[in-house]
Amino acid sequence: MDADTTTLSPETLRAEMVATVRKAGYARRSEVERVLLDTPRHEFVPDADLAVAYDPWQAVITHRFEDGRSLSCASAPWLVAAMLDQLDVQPGDRILEVGAGTGYNACLLAQLTGRADLVTTIDIDPDVTAKAKRALTATGYGDVHVITSDGALGYPDHAPYDRMIVTVSPWHIPAQWWKQLAPGGRLVAPLRWRGQGRSVAFTYTEGRLVSDSLHLCGFVYLVGDGEGELSGAITADELVTLHWDRDQPVDPEALRGVLDQPRVTAWSGTTIGRNESHDGLWLRLTVTDPRVCRIKVHADVPPEVCDPVRGWWRMALVDGDTLVYLTARRLESSDEVHWELGAIGHGPSADELTAYLCEAIRSWAPERKQHTPSLTVYPADTPDSELAGPAIDKTHSRFVLTYGDSTE
């Protein structure tokens, strides 16, 4: 939105927001476009400026923990649109939303299904639900059921649900969600595995959840769901930390001080454009390599100490006392800028592991835009013999990612 937003009406800003979201490839369903145009988003975030309320790329934080971490927010409009596209709400669908936020998403869901009383939104924080209820009532959608409770338990009183959407990030899929989803129903949730997060759309069929789309995203974590992802500092000042899943054999003590060891740098020869994503590489490696995790580097850490690729999400590989992470260097020609992907490693096996990561980059590069894996979620007691490939084990389920007919 390039115009002076201080003089534009909410209706004009909203139309520009939706146009931008559509141009970016979201709100593909005409119904989603319609409800985004019809809904006064600014009334759900009354403390935000109009320009912020209708910024297509910006989430609006509305509630925080005492330590400053965000507890609740209105998701960025592009992501709202993407997840509603994934959910594919049909008129008359009974819907459960886990994570009430501002009530904005519940308002959109009520319009998509056609009856506000078919929508239930649940949140563990009473301040969040109180504000969401007020906003929904003020905008004419007071019949939405706003429940204060633990979202991990779902809400059995209104089950079974034809559609379930989760707007907080769980590490696993709680057992109650399985029980409350109708056969053939759809679940959209921003799941986490191997350090990265994806909004995944599933259909519940034959006792399994089978995905048909995945979007890169980041969300506030589901409260009480932190036991699945572990973390630990690997520097004395605790400015560099690793994050990994509970089923991965990562020992942060074995890596304390690893960045003080000699650096090994290798380059893949693979380049990406200025606005081209490399996140598919990470996703691909989660299918094939159980060593993949995430490295978090504080802004105060100089690049000579740790220099990962830019972005909020930084991929790493851990093998015992060796750490390797993805990096990039700027390459300029006369008319454009590219970034070459590479690997930086520290530890006894750094040479081998950096070479391995560069080869993985080269293998991914030729078909980087063509292939996305399918994620199938099985109940936790499913034996290996009934799985389509190697499993990532969660508390209540087993995740299996596959490409086509094989796990590559």
Side-chain angles (χ1 to χ4, degrees):
M1 291 185 283
D2 297 325
D4 181 2
T5 57
T6 60
T7 61
L8 298 179
S9 68
E11 292 76 17
T12 299
L13 290 170
R14 189 155 62 248
E16 291 186 359
M17 176 194 80
V18 175
T20 301
V21 168
R22 285 273 298 169
K23 186 176 180 180
Y26 309 107
R28 296 187 307 274
R29 296 182 62 231
S30 60
E31 297 89 346
V32 173
E33 180 183 17
R34 172 181 57 81
V35 298
L36 289 173
L37 283 169
D38 290 347
T39 305
R41 178 176 164 88
H42 64 284
E43 294 189 22
F44 291 89
V45 287
D47 296 331
D49 293 338
L50 283 177
V52 174
Y54 289 107
D55 186 324
W57 313 114
Q58 184 171 339
V60 181
I61 297 172
T62 58
H63 200 66
R64 291 186 180 272
F65 288 105
E66 292 183 0
D67 64 4
R69 290 176 296 133
S70 60
L71 171 62
S72 184
C73 70
S75 298
W78 76 266
L79 184 53
V80 171
M83 294 181 73
L84 291 179
D85 281 340
Q86 289 180 300
L87 193 62
D88 189 27
V89 175
Q90 300 299 310
D93 278 347
R94 187 175 295 275
I95 305 171
L96 174 66
E97 178 190 32
V98 177
T102 63
Y104 174 65
N105 207 54
C107 181
L108 299 172
L109 293 168
Q111 294 172 77
L112 288 170
T113 190
R115 282 176 46 190
D117 65 318
L118 293 177
V119 178
T120 301
T121 184
I122 187 169
D123 202 286
I124 200 169
D125 189 284
D127 290 338
V128 170
T129 52
K131 291 178 180 178
K133 182 64 176 177
R134 286 197 296 270
L136 285 163
T137 300
T139 52
Y141 292 90
D143 287 343
V144 169
H145 302 282
V146 183
I147 308 298
T148 304
S149 186
D150 185 354
L153 302 178
Y155 194 68
D157 290 8
H158 295 162
Y161 299 100
D162 304 294
R163 298 291 187 269
M164 188 179 295
I165 185 168
V166 185
T167 57
V168 288
S169 181
W171 181 77
H172 63 99
I173 299 178
Q176 293 300 320
W177 297 357
W178 289 76
K179 295 177 181 178
Q180 294 171 30
L181 189 62
R186 287 181 68 79
L187 165 67
V188 174
L191 299 172
R192 291 174 280 135
W193 67 93
R194 301 299 186 247
Q196 47 99 66
R198 304 272 165 168
S199 174
V200 187
F202 297 99
T203 298
Y204 187 36
T205 178
E206 297 180 352
R208 299 171 295 167
L209 296 169
V210 181
S211 78
D212 52 46
S213 69
L214 297 90
H215 285 299
L216 186 70
C217 67
F219 270 87
V220 175
Y221 286 6
L222 180 66
V223 174
D225 189 49
E227 80 280 359
E229 186 179 67
L230 306 175
S231 64
I234 61 172
T235 55
D237 57 12
E238 300 189 345
L239 296 182
V240 180
T241 56
L242 285 176
H243 300 256
W244 67 95
D245 288 347
R246 189 176 57 189
D247 67 324
Q248 294 179 285
V250 175
D251 179 5
E253 288 305 314
L255 293 162
R256 293 280 287 190
V258 70
L259 296 178
D260 297 327
Q261 298 183 37
R263 174 184 288 193
V264 174
T265 304
W267 297 103
S268 67
T270 295
T271 61
I272 57 174
R274 186 192 300 271
N275 297 314
E276 187 177 1
S277 174
H278 55 76
D279 64 87
L281 169 66
W282 193 345
L283 180 59
R284 187 177 191 269
L285 280 172
T286 69
V287 181
T288 60
D289 198 317
R291 299 173 296 181
V292 178
C293 58
R294 173 163 57 99
I295 188 170
K296 184 177 181 180
V297 183
H298 192 278
D300 291 341
V301 177
E304 56 267 25
V305 174
C306 192
D307 189 22
V309 68
R310 293 180 180 179
W312 293 105
W313 303 88
R314 283 92 171 264
M315 183 186 73
L317 294 168
V318 171
D319 194 341
D321 51 2
T322 299
L323 167 72
V324 168
Y325 56 84
L326 186 67
T327 190
R329 62 179 175 184
R330 182 186 177 104
L331 301 177
E332 292 191 44
S333 61
S334 58
D335 57 348
E336 58 185 335
V337 175
H338 284 88
W339 294 85
E340 183 181 7
L341 298 178
I344 292 176
H346 300 264
S349 301
D351 287 320
E352 294 84 355
L353 205 53
T354 53
Y356 165 83
L357 182 51
C358 284
E359 181 56 35
I361 295 168
R362 288 188 286 269
S363 297
W364 158 78
E367 299 177 340
R368 67 186 77 176
K369 297 179 181 179
Q370 280 71 41
H371 295 292
T372 299
S374 174
L375 173 59
T376 302
V377 180
Y378 299 81
D381 59 357
T382 305
D384 289 349
S385 60
E386 296 181 16
L387 302 179
I392 298 174
D393 285 316
K394 301 285 187 169
T395 307
H396 301 290
S397 58
R398 310 189 76 186
F399 284 17
V400 176
L401 290 126
T402 56
Y403 280 91
D405 296 326
S406 70
T407 58
E408 291 195 350

